[in-house]
Amino acid sequence: MKTLLLSQSDLHEIVSRVGVDRMMDELIARLRTALIAFDTAETEIPVRAGFHYEAPVPGLIEWMPLLAKNESVLMKIVGYHPDSPDKLRLPTILSTLSRYDPTSGHLLALVDGTFLTAMRTGAASALASQALAKPDSATIGLIGCGAQAVTQLHALNRMFPVTDVLIHDVDPTALKTFRDRVANFSSNGFRIHPTPVSELVASSDILCVATSVPIGAGPVFAAQETRPWLHVNAVGSDFPGKIECPRDLLLRSFVCPDVPGQAMREGECQQLTAAQIGADFATLIKDAESYEALRLRTSVFDSTGWALEDQVALSLLLEIAQAFDLGTDIQIENVSMDPRSPYEFLSPVCGAPRLRQIG
Amino acid sequence: MKTLLLSQSDLHEIVSRVGVDRMMDELIARLRTALIAFDTAETEIPVRAGFHYEAPVPGLIEWMPLLAKNESVLMKIVGYHPDSPDKLRLPTILSTLSRYDPTSGHLLALVDGTFLTAMRTGAASALASQALAKPDSATIGLIGCGAQAVTQLHALNRMFPVTDVLIHDVDPTALKTFRDRVANFSSNGFRIHPTPVSELVASSDILCVATSVPIGAGPVFAAQETRPWLHVNAVGSDFPGKIECPRDLLLRSFVCPDVPGQAMREGECQQLTAAQIGADFATLIKDAESYEALRLRTSVFDSTGWALEDQVALSLLLEIAQAFDLGTDIQIENVSMDPRSPYEFLSPVCGAPRLRQIG
């Protein structure tokens, strides 16, 4: 009864073989299908919980479980440690995904969730933008140019005729290296312009905000004039007290939260009452046509992160791994010939290969 | 940034080298130390949560997180599927344990939790019994003779001068194979007697109840006369509606829950009001002397399972693995040279080994 383990090398091999553009396209398509099919009678997604701490460094480790009834259980563990890039040369968001068999509790697979989190967050923004942004959106603004900004741009670039990318980050290094970091997916040769925040906000058709702004220090841009059709993907808020968008913009916009309860606790929706919040993500995508008029108005996708997105990404990755026969099968759980005999392996005569008795 | 993975073979090698008796002794000693040191200001243990379902089979998959502040995060995932032994030849309880670094969210280690769950549940019962049972207890009763019964007996046998083991199980196979399954730890040659339940309950000094009785079908033994000093370790109740002990016995006994809130929801304490419940496990062990008089009275340890026990067991296992240099280090998380560059590995020139671009 083996567990499939995908190493970082396996992941790289998979993405290299499939191609990162095709993988993003596939992820967007499957996420759309999953959102349209989403039914709480079939898929149980408890509210995310976690440990929040200030020591040894400010951060959190959260667990995001999902039950696809009769099929599988997902457990995403995700760490958010904003000091990591500078202090440890590690991503702010580190994650692993594991899948369990609800027939037995067996761990079926364990894979990296860091890469998939970045990809699926991009895919979610692309779908929300497709529903709420002007179809000919060509100017993308990015406030916060870390790992998440790379996949935001990649996903939007798959969906919109992007010509200009306006970027801003409080960290000059992030700003300087951005061009190189987005060189590995196809583009029609968009131009990248470091841009002061207010000009960036004023000129964007679609704006993605993905910062590590500290609790209480937001928003990261001020209330100001925008294009009448501006669509914002607010992906950085994932913590009580952390916000990125000015309330003024939210109040005059259609605000779509991915997970309403969570968004009201951790996302931009902290700044709103329930009555000020629009349709949730699944409803928006299920019923996209009836929201088409909103493409001419300002809108905000409050993306706090949803295990459904991880489930779709994990399924895609595992399918490809299986097709390419990649990964390593490892026996982790202690399973005896007689399931009631935990010490069976210590027997002088038993079905399992004999181990030396040293101690 | 590697993750230490212990396979089943590594686990077997560790237990074989150390010796299962020494391992149980060490686990009991460390669990005592951890209970005495337990401080909610240092160790955060949220209430266990999980998915409970009736299809594809009746069962549950639960997550049991623990934060040792400044040190580590534990995530135990545990499945309980009572049909597994007969239908799948798998243990009723399957589990994995993983440890994360609160500095970064990095997955430090992944190991089997099936074996450790059985061991630590035994160790917990041994400690509770040491505090609450007569020190010369020689007759152990076991209702339910599955995997957990093996480690219950093992742990008690390390602590008490066991001469007679009275066993009962509704499954004749479990009863028949029990002798062989407890042949792999040291004993002073206790005798094993299949015994009708009422006689078993009447004659035991210490009784361990570890059954898969369905919800609503308990208790598994009736209100009846017992030895005045009977101590019961009730380890099977772990689900709302599942109970093993008759309320009558609980009412006339000192009842010690491992986790009061959880025990009132899932354990024997479901049958009691808060006022009818005694000191919790940590308090009992911290202050064992002041509870000594209870050894002459009936007592019940309501063991629903606590992540603190898993944390102690995991630490022990990882220390031994490190000392023996066992296990495999695998790079799972996608970590680039530039932590802000998730697609770095796709670059023609980058620090990581180059991968072919096929797709």
Side-chain angles (χ1 to χ4, degrees), chain A residues 249-281:
Chain A
L249 175 67
L250 300 176
L251 288 176
R252 64 183 168 88
S253 301
F254 177 82
V255 178
C256 166
D258 53 0
V259 186
Q262 186 169 286
M264 292 194 72
R265 208 185 59 216
E266 306 179 359
E268 299 306 324
C269 289
Q270 290 176 91
Q271 305 182 65
L272 302 178
T273 64
Q276 292 165 331
I277 298 172
D280 64 50
F281 191 25

Side-chain angles (χ1 to χ4, degrees), chain A residues 73-95:
Chain A
V73 166
L74 163 75
M75 177 58 77
K76 176 180 188 171
I77 306 286
V78 58
Y80 169 79
H81 298 84
D83 295 346
S84 282
D86 290 332
K87 291 201 180 155
L88 304 173
R89 293 192 64 81
L90 291 177
T92 300
I93 292 169
L94 266 186
S95 171

Side-chain angles (χ1 to χ4, degrees), chain A residues 121 125 129 140-150 152-153 156 166 168-169 197 200-201 204 206-213 218-222 230-238 242-246 249-250 268 299-304:
Chain A
T121 307
S125 287
S129 301
I140 309 294
L142 300 173
I143 298 179
C145 292
Q148 306 307 314
V150 173
Q152 291 290 310
L153 180 58
L156 290 175
L166 316 182
H168 175 80
D169 198 296
V197 173
L200 184 155
V201 173
S204 295
I206 299 175
L207 171 64
C208 299
V209 201
T211 73
S212 290
V213 66
V220 298
F221 62 100
L230 172 69
H231 171 71
V232 180
N233 298 300
V235 310
S237 290
D238 45 18
K242 184 178 171 193
I243 57 151
E244 295 180 316
C245 296
L249 175 67
L250 300 176
E268 299 306 324
S299 56
V300 176
F301 175 47
D302 189 2
S303 176
T304 57

Side-chain angles (χ1 to χ4, degrees), chain B residues 180-233:
Chain B
D180 285 345
R181 290 186 280 120
V182 297
N184 295 314
F185 55 80
S186 301
S187 82
N188 296 319
F190 50 68
R191 290 172 297 278
I192 297 174
H193 316 274
T195 308
V197 172
S198 67
E199 189 185 326
L200 183 156
V201 172
S203 311
S204 295
D205 296 316
I206 300 175
L207 171 64
C208 298
V209 201
T211 73
S212 290
V213 66
I215 292 171
V220 298
F221 63 100
Q224 68 166 70
E225 205 164 336
T226 65
R227 294 203 162 166
W229 54 78
L230 173 69
H231 171 72
V232 180
N233 297 300

